[in-house]
Amino acid sequence: MLKPSKKHFIRYDAQTYEEKGFLEVGGKVQKLAEAPRFWQVSATAITQDPTTNERQRKNFKFQTSDRFKLGELAPIVNERIHEDEDYLPDCVSVMVVARVMTEGGV
Protein backbone atom coordinates (compact mmCIF):
# COMPACT_ATOMS: atom_id res chain seq x y z
CA MET A 1 0.00 0.00 0.00
CA LEU A 2 1.31 3.44 -0.94
CA LYS A 3 1.84 5.90 1.90
CA PRO A 4 3.50 9.33 2.05
CA SER A 5 7.23 8.94 2.57
CA LYS A 6 8.71 10.24 5.78
CA LYS A 7 12.15 10.63 4.11
CA HIS A 8 11.52 11.73 0.51
CA PHE A 9 9.92 15.18 0.42
CA ILE A 10 10.37 18.82 -0.51
CA ARG A 11 9.30 21.92 1.41
CA TYR A 12 8.93 25.41 -0.05
CA ASP A 13 7.00 28.66 0.26
CA ALA A 14 4.89 29.00 -2.89
CA GLN A 15 5.10 32.79 -2.72
CA THR A 16 8.92 32.96 -2.60
CA TYR A 17 9.82 29.80 -4.52
CA GLU A 18 11.03 31.65 -7.63
CA GLU A 19 13.60 33.63 -5.60
CA LYS A 20 14.50 31.11 -2.88
CA GLY A 21 13.76 27.69 -4.38
CA PHE A 22 13.21 24.71 -2.09
CA LEU A 23 13.65 25.42 1.62
CA GLU A 24 14.20 21.75 2.45
CA VAL A 25 14.88 18.66 0.35
CA GLY A 26 14.59 15.33 2.16
CA GLY A 27 16.06 12.02 1.09
CA LYS A 28 16.32 11.21 -2.60
CA VAL A 29 13.18 13.08 -3.64
CA GLN A 30 14.81 14.75 -6.65
CA LYS A 31 16.16 11.45 -7.99
CA LEU A 32 12.89 9.61 -7.33
CA ALA A 33 10.90 12.44 -8.93
CA GLU A 34 12.67 12.04 -12.28
CA ALA A 35 10.08 9.33 -12.97
CA PRO A 36 6.36 10.04 -12.56
CA ARG A 37 5.18 9.34 -9.00
CA PHE A 38 2.09 9.69 -6.86
CA TRP A 39 2.37 12.57 -4.36
CA GLN A 40 0.79 13.73 -1.13
CA VAL A 41 0.72 17.51 -0.86
CA SER A 42 0.12 19.46 2.35
CA ALA A 43 -0.09 23.25 2.17
CA THR A 44 -0.64 25.85 4.86
CA ALA A 45 -1.75 29.29 3.77
CA ILE A 46 -1.14 32.04 6.31
CA THR A 47 -3.20 35.20 5.99
CA GLN A 48 -2.90 38.46 7.88
CA ASP A 49 -5.81 40.85 8.38
CA PRO A 50 -4.57 44.27 7.20
CA THR A 51 -6.46 46.18 9.90
CA THR A 52 -5.87 44.01 12.98
CA ASN A 53 -2.70 42.16 11.87
CA GLU A 54 -4.36 38.96 13.14
CA ARG A 55 -2.97 35.87 11.41
CA GLN A 56 -4.96 32.82 10.42
CA ARG A 57 -4.01 29.49 8.88
CA LYS A 58 -5.82 27.45 6.28
CA ASN A 59 -4.64 23.89 5.59
CA PHE A 60 -4.94 21.90 2.38
CA LYS A 61 -4.07 18.24 2.01
CA PHE A 62 -4.53 16.02 -1.02
CA GLN A 63 -3.03 13.15 -2.96
CA THR A 64 -2.57 13.20 -6.70
CA SER A 65 -4.82 10.83 -8.61
CA ASP A 66 -2.19 10.35 -11.34
CA ARG A 67 1.60 10.05 -11.41
CA PHE A 68 3.64 13.21 -11.98
CA LYS A 69 7.28 14.23 -12.12
CA LEU A 70 8.33 16.86 -9.59
CA GLY A 71 8.48 19.55 -12.27
CA GLU A 72 4.88 18.83 -13.27
CA LEU A 73 3.53 19.17 -9.74
CA ALA A 74 3.56 22.97 -9.31
CA PRO A 75 0.56 23.76 -11.57
CA ILE A 76 -1.52 21.13 -9.76
CA VAL A 77 -0.60 22.57 -6.35
CA ASN A 78 -1.30 26.14 -7.53
CA GLU A 79 -4.68 25.16 -8.96
CA ARG A 80 -5.68 23.52 -5.68
CA ILE A 81 -4.54 26.50 -3.62
CA HIS A 82 -6.41 28.96 -5.86
CA GLU A 83 -9.69 27.04 -5.64
CA ASP A 84 -10.58 29.06 -2.54
CA GLU A 85 -9.70 32.63 -3.49
CA ASP A 86 -11.33 34.51 -0.63
CA TYR A 87 -8.14 34.48 1.45
CA LEU A 88 -5.61 35.19 -1.32
CA PRO A 89 -5.50 39.03 -1.12
CA ASP A 90 -4.33 38.85 2.51
CA CYS A 91 -2.06 35.82 2.09
CA VAL A 92 1.50 36.30 3.39
CA SER A 93 2.81 32.73 2.96
CA VAL A 94 1.85 29.34 1.54
CA MET A 95 4.12 26.62 2.91
CA VAL A 96 3.97 23.47 0.77
CA VAL A 97 5.28 20.00 1.62
CA ALA A 98 5.14 17.43 -1.18
CA ARG A 99 5.91 13.82 -0.25
CA VAL A 100 6.58 10.97 -2.64
CA MET A 101 4.11 8.12 -2.09
CA THR A 102 6.13 4.95 -1.45
CA GLU A 103 5.39 1.39 -0.50
CA GLY A 104 4.84 1.47 3.25
CA GLY A 105 5.83 5.16 3.52
CA VAL A 106 9.56 4.47 3.59
Side-chain angles (χ1 to χ4, degrees):
M1 174 179 226
L2 291 178
K3 294 183 178 181
S5 175
K6 294 179 180 158
K7 289 196 300 189
H8 308 295
F9 67 94
I10 53 156
R11 186 174 66 85
Y12 65 97
D13 185 336
Q15 292 189 300
T16 62
Y17 174 73
E18 288 198 23
E19 300 104 42
K20 295 184 180 179
F22 296 128
L23 300 175
E24 189 175 0
V25 178
K28 298 179 184 177
V29 69
Q30 290 176 309
K31 181 168 176 56
L32 290 171
E34 291 173 2
R37 305 277 179 182
F38 288 107
W39 295 85
Q40 178 192 48
V41 178
S42 302
T44 302
I46 300 172
T47 60
Q48 184 169 344
D49 185 304
T51 56
T52 65
N53 287 332
E54 178 186 355
R55 288 189 171 207
Q56 293 184 340
R57 295 173 182 264
K58 178 164 184 158
N59 296 311
F60 305 86
K61 191 173 196 178
F62 65 94
Q63 293 180 1
T64 59
S65 56
D66 293 317
R67 295 174 188 262
F68 297 96
K69 293 181 179 181
L70 180 57
E72 301 168 333
L73 196 58
I76 296 159
V77 173
N78 287 340
E79 180 180 313
R80 192 62 165 251
I81 289 170
H82 288 90
E83 282 178 355
D84 188 6
E85 294 186 19
D86 65 330
Y87 66 89
L88 288 177
D90 300 325
C91 194
V92 294
S93 173
V94 181
M95 294 303 296
V96 177
V97 177
R99 297 182 180 280
V100 175
M101 300 292 286
T102 59
E103 195 63 41
V106 179

